[in-house]
Each structure stands twice: as structure tokens, then as C-alpha cells.
Amino acid sequence: MKLFFKPGACSLSPHIVMLETGLDFTLVRVDTAAGLTEQQEDYRQINPKGKVPALQFDDGTVLTEGVAIVQYLADQKPDRQLLAPLNTLARYQTLAWLNYISAELHKSFSPLFGDAAPKAYKTALRQQIVEKLAWVDSELHDNQWLLGLHFTVADAYLFTVMRWAKSLQLDIHSFASLEAWFQRVAARPHVAAALAAEGLS
Ligand SMILES: N[C@@H](CCC(=O)N[C@@H](CS)C(=O)NCC(=O)O)C(=O)O
């Protein structure tokens, strides 16, 4: 399998999950602005949406969308407990987190990284994200991981967007449970390995 990524982008989430599963894969860097892989392939031939992440199987088939990729990967190695089994409530609670992180957090960050959005819109988005992270912080008061006992695919995804919150210097300093959780995730060897492989440590 090949995992197409851009350093620090949302592709960090499946990259972490891939390392946590122990599956064999090749990491391929993409310059999304140029639309080229590191081998100078036209990336839109691989993912016509032009976005990372994408997972390409050995037969050439491609799976896109981070939340789909992490579920696929986690299901290949159920013993790693990165995603609860089918038909358990815990699985659907994990999917609820993935959806929340994708729809409510991830896409609120996107305009903050470019110059196109007006300043007032960016200020409002920053405030909305902080309010949502206050709720996430409260969910972590009594939990080591988002789903309680186990590190899951949801923790990998939230960690990825929390790195953006920090780089954008959002006002999250009072969220002690969230910060403690962030440090727990960062201390996992596979998370450190993913960051190092992306040149982020
Ligand atoms: N819905 C897609 C969104 C993917 C996405 O927005 N990827 C961003 C990075 S986080 C991207 O590739 N942006 C293109 C760019 O940065 O040029 C998913 O969740 O996988």
C-alpha cells in the first residue's frame, strides 16, 4: 500500500494509524499545490480531488477520505483495538468522534491557512473552534483517551487538528485535560515516528 501525504496535513491521522497497525506501507509525499507526487507523478491521476490523504493498494485501487482510510486500516488489525468491533456501541461512538472532528473541527481550520477568507470570518472561526474545543476538553476530564480505555483512530485524528490549533495559537491554554491528552498522544512511539517521518519533530 502507498499512503499519499503532505507534512502536517490531515494525512498525519492515517499515517499515525498505519504505524499503530504495524501494516507494511510506503509513504509518498505530495506537493498538492503543484499537483505532483515526489516521483513527479500527476497526483490527480491518483486522487482526482487533489487532496491528501489517499491510500493506494497494490492493484492500483485508491481509497480517499481520511475517516474512511483510518477505519479500513484499523479493521485490518482488530487486535490493536484502534476501532471497536462491528455492532458494538463503542464503534459508533468512535464514528461519532470521527464525524465531529471532520465536520466540526477539521473543515473550520481550512480557511485559517489561506489568504482568501476575510479577517472577520477568520476571527469568528477561531472563536467557534475554541468553543468546540472547550467541549472536547470537558469530555477528557475523566478519560485518558477520547473513547475511554483505548487509544483509537479518533485520537489520531484529533491530535492532527490539535497541532493546527497550536500552530495558529488559538486561545486553548486553559484546557488542561486537552493538553494532558495531547501530551499523552505525542508520547506514543508511533506518533513520534509519524512526526519524524514527516519532518515535523
Ligand atoms: N474530506 C477530505 C479532505 C482532505 C483535505 O482537506 N486535505 C487537505 C489537507 S488537510 C489538502 O489536501 N489540501 C490541499 C492543499 O493543501 O493544497 C478528507 O477528510 O480526507
Side-chain angles (χ1 to χ4, degrees):
M1 285 183 287
K2 288 182 185 170
L3 178 64
F4 293 87
F5 85 106
K6 177 176 144 180
C10 50
S11 43
L12 177 62
S13 163
H15 187 183
I16 291 169
V17 172
M18 187 72 97
L19 293 179
E20 293 277 350
T21 63
L23 289 162
D24 196 25
F25 74 107
T26 304
L27 195 60
V28 181
R29 187 173 175 144
V30 180
D31 178 342
T32 50
L36 294 171
T37 69
E38 61 189 280
Q39 287 85 21
Q40 304 302 305
E41 297 162 289
D42 177 359
Y43 184 57
R44 283 189 184 266
Q45 295 292 318
I46 296 158
N47 180 6
K49 290 182 275 192
K51 305 276 189 188
V52 289
L55 183 68
Q56 188 174 43
F57 299 94
D58 293 347
D59 69 356
T61 311
V62 175
L63 179 65
T64 61
E65 298 299 318
V67 297
I69 294 171
V70 296
Q71 289 173 65
Y72 172 80
L73 295 175
D75 281 340
Q76 304 312 301
K77 293 282 179 178
D79 57 305
R80 305 294 165 108
Q81 296 184 297
L82 295 162
L83 180 59
L86 270 175
N87 291 324
T88 62
L89 184 59
R91 186 180 184 98
Y92 302 103
Q93 288 168 328
T94 312
L95 300 188
W97 269 113
L98 289 179
N99 194 65
Y100 185 80
I101 298 163
S102 176
E104 302 288 340
L105 295 173
H106 176 173
K107 282 296 154 182
S108 299
F109 278 97
S110 304
L112 300 178
F113 290 117
D115 296 329
K119 192 165 181 289
Y121 179 56
K122 287 188 176 183
T123 303
L125 274 182
R126 290 173 71 95
Q127 184 57 34
Q128 285 171 18
I129 294 170
V130 170
E131 285 167 15
K132 288 170 184 173
L133 291 179
W135 172 74
V136 176
D137 177 65
S138 73
E139 289 290 302
L140 287 165
H141 287 343
D142 300 319
N143 285 318
Q144 183 151 7
W145 308 111
L146 286 176
L147 272 296
L149 289 179
H150 300 290
F151 173 91
T152 69
V153 292
D155 294 290
Y157 195 11
L158 181 63
F159 179 78
T160 299
V161 302
M162 279 305 298
R163 291 188 72 259
W164 305 340
K166 284 171 176 274
S167 75
L168 291 164
Q169 299 182 314
L170 297 189
D171 186 10
I172 53 174
H173 310 99
S174 61
F175 302 157
S177 299
L178 188 53
E179 177 60 19
W181 165 89
F182 184 87
Q183 297 306 333
R184 269 196 296 281
V185 179
R188 294 177 73 84
H190 292 311
V191 174
L195 291 172
E198 297 197 10
L200 301 170
S201 50

